[in-house]
């Protein structure tokens, strides 16, 4: 199973869109532990949205869309629902 997910920073309200084949709980813990520079600077995070896919290519296409111009507007709308 592949997951496309959106995290919201509890520190500064920024959002992070990602793709993983790990369990979401594990991946969020990795983000919250500061697994890279960006997550160290912007964490902690809260999961606000995810979608499940059987096909990796479908998940990659969805992540790419959510990081595009129109997709960013959708991410913003989702993030604003969780103020």
């Amino acid at each position: 199973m592949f997951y496309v997910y959106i995290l919201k920073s509890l520190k500064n309200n920024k959002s992070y869109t990602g793709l993983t084949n790990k369990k979401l709980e594990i991946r969020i813990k990795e983000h919250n532990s500061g697994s890279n520079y960006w997550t160290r600077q912007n964490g902690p995070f809260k999961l606000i949205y995810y979608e499940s896919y059987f096909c990796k290519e479908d998940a990659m296409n969805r992540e790419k869309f959510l990081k595009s111009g129109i997709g960013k507007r959708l991410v913003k709308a989702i993030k604003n629902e969780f103020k």
Side-chain angles (χ1 to χ4, degrees):
M1 197 63 115
F2 297 91
Y3 301 96
V4 176
Y5 59 93
I6 301 171
L7 303 178
K8 179 180 175 180
S9 169
L10 300 176
K11 178 179 180 181
N12 56 23
N13 204 35
K14 291 183 179 182
S15 61
Y16 178 91
T17 302
L19 165 70
T20 189
N21 63 343
K22 298 179 182 180
K23 289 185 178 181
L24 285 173
E25 298 83 15
I26 292 170
R27 188 63 183 125
I28 294 165
K29 283 181 184 179
E30 290 174 352
H31 283 298
N32 283 329
S33 69
S35 59
N36 65 45
Y37 178 79
W38 196 89
T39 57
R40 274 192 301 275
Q41 299 301 311
N42 296 288
F45 297 95
K46 176 182 175 182
L47 178 68
I48 60 170
Y49 183 80
Y50 75 93
E51 298 174 356
S52 305
Y53 293 89
F54 290 111
C55 175
K56 183 177 182 179
E57 185 176 345
D58 290 343
M60 290 172 64
N61 288 335
R62 182 61 169 174
E63 180 193 27
K64 185 177 179 180
F65 168 76
L66 290 174
K67 292 181 175 182
S68 73
I70 295 171
K72 285 181 182 179
R73 284 191 248 160
L74 177 59
V75 170
K76 186 177 180 179
I78 292 168
K79 185 174 73 171
N80 287 337
E81 289 293 317
F82 292 92
K83 282 190 174 183

